[in-house]
Amino acid sequence: MEAVLNHLEPPPDILRQRSFPIGEPSEIAAARRAGTELARRIGFDDVRAGQLAIVISEAATNIVKHAQRGEILLRKVLRGGTSGIEVLAIDSGPGIGNVRQHMQDGHSTTGTYGVGLGAMRRLSQEFDLYTAPGKGTVLMMVVWGPHASSAIPPSPNWQIGAVCLPLASEQVCGDAWNVVCEGHELSLMVADGLGHGPLAARASETASALLENSTPGLPPLPAPFIELAHGALRATRGAALAVAHIDSARRELRYCGVGNIAACAFDAHQRRHLLSHNGIVGSNLRKLQEFRHPWQLGTTLIMHSDGLHTRWDLEQYPGLAQCHPSLVAAVLYRDFARGRDDVTVVVLREHEEHQAVTAEGTGAA
């Protein structure tokens, strides 16, 4: 446990999500080089690294040609002992009017769009998109490492998507999130260290490391974990911290939050806002209260730091709630990030097979 409590340095860049602005050819090359370097560091062979480079290049080129500006997000993902790299391509451009048509190689509005979209789908082992005419496009692609062969690693019971990025002027993010899962139980944590920069990261990453090591073999319950974290974070600035624990066998969601972490759970019938109390974990823990709610198959949980406005409404994005959680997180980040703080948004859903859904109802996966 001492090793956990002394985890003061932010984790290496290989574990962090990175953002690359895209607006000109030199920025496309920078994103491609970063992806190739990440692939090398986590053990991709030349074939997989080459596929990743093409995926990033095509996605970034489409942004420049069709939306003028956007960004590429890269992060390492893990599943069943296999490493992969998730690519999110985000823009606020004109959108795609007919997804099925654009997926066909050879169809193009400027000479290359159809070929690029088809190549991205073929070269990535997971692919999903959300687009709405006049409201932009978000693509999600995952290229898995060589141990995955040509197949996707077996899907877990849960789908998770996230955006976790620092304030533009900072190198490290003062927010952090983590998840631990065992069987039918899962605990998800979001932390927002006070302020931003390395000292904020020290607080949030200490909480993240504690989640992984506090209860080996069993995801921790929210209130006891936050009480434990309160002691562990005393040597830091402190953090806003919230934990959700889901037991899919009991069909129960337990939640406890302190500070400005927002959370809501929604299904086809209702949306529940989950309550966090005022305070700072590690400094001023005023009240701990754990809430219990039903959890049904198909329920989506969204948790985010105050770097994201709370006025979002998924009903304004037809079909988005059925897309992969990474697309939900990316759209919320694109449209509701405050831009003056670190931002984290994590989206969780019990795994269900689905097709990608666009605003016009066209499957693309």
Side-chain angles (χ1 to χ4, degrees), residues 251-265:
R251 290 295 164 202
E252 180 182 70
L253 165 65
R254 300 170 68 166
Y255 178 85
C256 185
V258 176
N260 52 8
I261 303 298
C264 74

Side-chain angles (χ1 to χ4, degrees), residues 96-108 113-114 117-118 121 127 129 131 355-358 360-365:
I96 305 173
N98 187 320
V99 173
R100 290 189 185 277
Q101 187 178 30
H102 281 275
M103 280 291 187
Q104 298 173 7
D105 285 350
H107 177 83
S108 173
Y113 194 94
L117 202 58
R121 183 181 182 181
F127 180 94
L129 70 84
T131 187
Q355 283 191 320
V357 179
T358 71
E360 61 180 9
T362 304

Side-chain angles (χ1 to χ4, degrees), residues 3-347:
V4 175
L5 302 185
N6 291 330
H7 181 80
L8 304 183
E9 296 299 324
D13 287 344
I14 193 173
L15 300 180
R16 292 187 172 277
Q17 195 167 29
R18 297 183 63 189
S19 170
F20 299 88
I22 301 297
E24 57 184 47
S26 64
E27 292 174 322
I28 297 174
R32 183 177 62 247
R33 285 194 301 270
T36 301
E37 173 62 15
L38 179 57
R40 183 192 65 79
R41 293 173 68 185
I42 65 177
F44 275 31
D45 60 19
D46 290 343
V47 173
R48 279 289 196 261
Q51 291 173 343
L52 177 70
I54 295 172
V55 164
I56 294 172
S57 294
E58 293 290 350
T61 298
N62 282 341
I63 289 174
V64 172
K65 288 187 175 182
H66 301 279
Q68 283 71 61
R69 296 210 63 84
E71 63 185 306
I72 296 288
L73 306 186
L74 302 176
R75 73 179 177 107
K76 176 186 175 182
V77 291
L78 288 168
R79 183 187 298 169
T82 299
S83 297
I85 296 175
E86 179 190 76
V87 181
L88 292 174
I90 304 171
D91 72 61
S92 299
I96 305 173
N98 187 320
V99 173
R100 290 189 185 277
Q101 187 178 30
H102 281 275
M103 280 291 187
Q104 298 173 7
D105 285 350
H107 177 83
S108 173
T109 57
T110 65
T112 59
Y113 194 94
V115 175
L117 202 58
M120 285 183 279
R121 183 181 182 181
R122 287 195 309 275
L123 294 175
S124 55
Q125 286 75 57
E126 294 185 57
F127 180 94
D128 205 350
L129 70 84
Y130 181 79
T131 187
K135 296 184 179 179
T137 299
V138 179
L139 304 177
M140 181 215 73
M141 297 146 288
V142 180
V143 177
W144 290 101
H147 297 299
S149 187
S150 60
I152 304 171
S155 295
N157 294 332
W158 314 93
Q159 286 184 324
I160 301 175
V163 173
C164 182
L165 295 170
L167 181 68
S169 60
E170 296 289 347
Q171 296 298 311
V172 296
C173 186
D175 294 352
W177 69 277
N178 206 344
V179 62
V180 294
C181 179
E182 183 66 31
H184 54 80
E185 294 184 70
L186 173 147
S187 287
L188 172 64
M189 177 217 79
V190 174
D192 179 356
L194 263 63
H196 45 80
L199 294 180
R202 176 185 177 189
S204 61
E205 295 292 354
T206 296
S208 176
L210 186 64
L211 185 78
E212 288 194 33
N213 293 275
S214 59
T215 314
L218 185 66
L221 297 178
F225 173 78
I226 291 180
E227 188 171 7
L228 180 65
H230 182 56
L233 269 62
R234 286 189 182 277
T236 74
R237 285 184 175 181
L241 178 63
V243 178
H245 178 90
I246 300 168
D247 188 327
S248 61
R250 294 175 178 268
R251 290 295 164 202
E252 180 182 70
L253 165 65
R254 300 170 68 166
Y255 178 85
C256 185
V258 176
N260 52 8
I261 303 298
C264 74
F266 61 91
D267 54 31
H269 306 290
Q270 61 181 328
R271 173 175 170 176
R272 296 186 181 90
H273 289 279
L274 308 182
L275 178 64
S276 293
H277 287 288
N278 293 331
I280 303 170
V281 177
S283 174
N284 183 19
L285 187 60
R286 301 178 182 180
K287 182 178 181 180
L288 281 179
Q289 186 175 8
E290 194 170 280
F291 298 92
R292 300 190 184 199
H293 303 280
W295 176 268
Q296 304 298 332
L297 188 66
T299 300
T300 297
L301 173 66
I302 299 179
M303 297 173 63
H304 62 82
S305 68
D306 66 347
L308 195 81
H309 285 288
T310 58
R311 64 173 184 263
W312 56 266
D313 182 0
L314 290 192
E315 291 186 1
Q316 301 301 310
Y317 300 88
L320 179 59
Q322 285 73 53
C323 290
H324 191 283
S326 289
L327 292 181
V328 179
V331 169
L332 294 181
Y333 158 71
R334 180 192 67 187
D335 293 349
F336 297 99
R338 295 181 186 273
R340 59 177 185 269
D341 198 359
D342 306 316
V343 58
T344 295
V345 52
V346 184
V347 182

